[in-house]
Amino acid sequence: ISLLKLPKQRGTFIEFRKGMLNISPVGRSCSLEERVEFAELDKKERIREKFVAALKKEFAGKGLRFTRGGMISFDVFPEGWDKRYCLNSLDHERYETIHFFGNETSPGGNDYEIFVDPRTVGHTVSSPQDTVRRCRELFFSDDTNEP
């Protein structure tokens, strides 16, 4: 992180979460304006992509996975500990369908593995409001005759 040349960097670059690390080159303490600024810069200069590539090279063969997370960070976790891990708890429940909603559903995103898992029906969404809209469309019928 110290080798990165960014216009701004704002504290808490590595956050320890249960079962994973969240790494933010700009820092988790940045303002919303700084988030947007970094996200735009990242789109042009692929800062996170290059950072992840360097870490993959450095830690090759160590059983780690790296995935994009949100606008300003990426996640690092042990192989097999992606979002599909929770499906193991549901195997005995025998649900007919498990729907998953995520915004980082393309390869390399932190929602990708569970999005494409055959045990789920994946839905790509862009915001919490989009998730609500999609849930209403899928699960709540407008065909009722009630006023």
Side-chain angles (χ1 to χ4, degrees):
I1 293 174
S2 65
L3 299 177
L4 293 174
K5 302 292 185 233
L6 298 175
K8 296 177 182 102
Q9 289 184 300
R10 303 284 188 251
T12 312
F13 302 102
I14 301 174
E15 185 174 87
F16 297 93
R17 297 181 180 175
K18 291 189 184 224
M20 64 178 262
L21 298 175
N22 178 265
I23 300 174
S24 175
V26 70
R28 303 236 26 109
S29 302
C30 65
S31 68
L32 180 57
E33 182 181 317
E34 291 165 338
R35 267 177 185 263
V36 172
E37 181 183 356
F38 175 79
E40 291 301 315
L41 183 64
D42 188 43
K43 282 180 191 172
K44 287 185 231 166
E45 298 192 19
R46 300 178 5 245
I47 297 161
R48 292 182 296 166
E49 182 182 325
K50 292 174 184 174
F51 198 159
V52 165
L55 289 174
K56 281 181 175 179
K57 183 178 177 182
E58 180 72 22
F59 294 100
K62 303 290 187 202
L64 295 174
R65 295 270 299 160
F66 302 85
T67 60
R68 266 187 330 274
M71 296 172 69
I72 64 168
S73 64
F74 59 91
D75 300 328
V76 182
F77 51 88
E79 286 281 352
W81 285 31
D82 58 56
K83 291 184 179 182
R84 293 175 296 177
Y85 190 78
C86 68
L87 296 175
N88 299 334
S89 301
L90 300 176
D91 280 346
H92 68 281
E93 299 293 335
R94 295 194 174 102
Y95 290 106
E96 284 183 35
T97 308
I98 299 170
H99 291 266
F100 174 79
F101 298 83
N103 66 325
E104 288 285 349
T105 57
S106 61
N110 64 357
D111 296 326
Y112 178 72
E113 286 84 0
I114 193 168
F115 177 78
V116 298
D117 191 283
R119 296 171 288 180
T120 67
V121 175
H123 305 273
T124 301
V125 292
S126 59
S127 66
Q129 296 79 10
D130 189 29
T131 305
V132 169
R133 181 186 62 76
R134 297 290 303 274
C135 286
R136 284 186 177 137
E137 289 172 359
L138 287 165
F139 306 121
F140 301 102
S141 172
D142 290 354
D143 298 339
T144 61
N145 293 327
E146 298 177 27

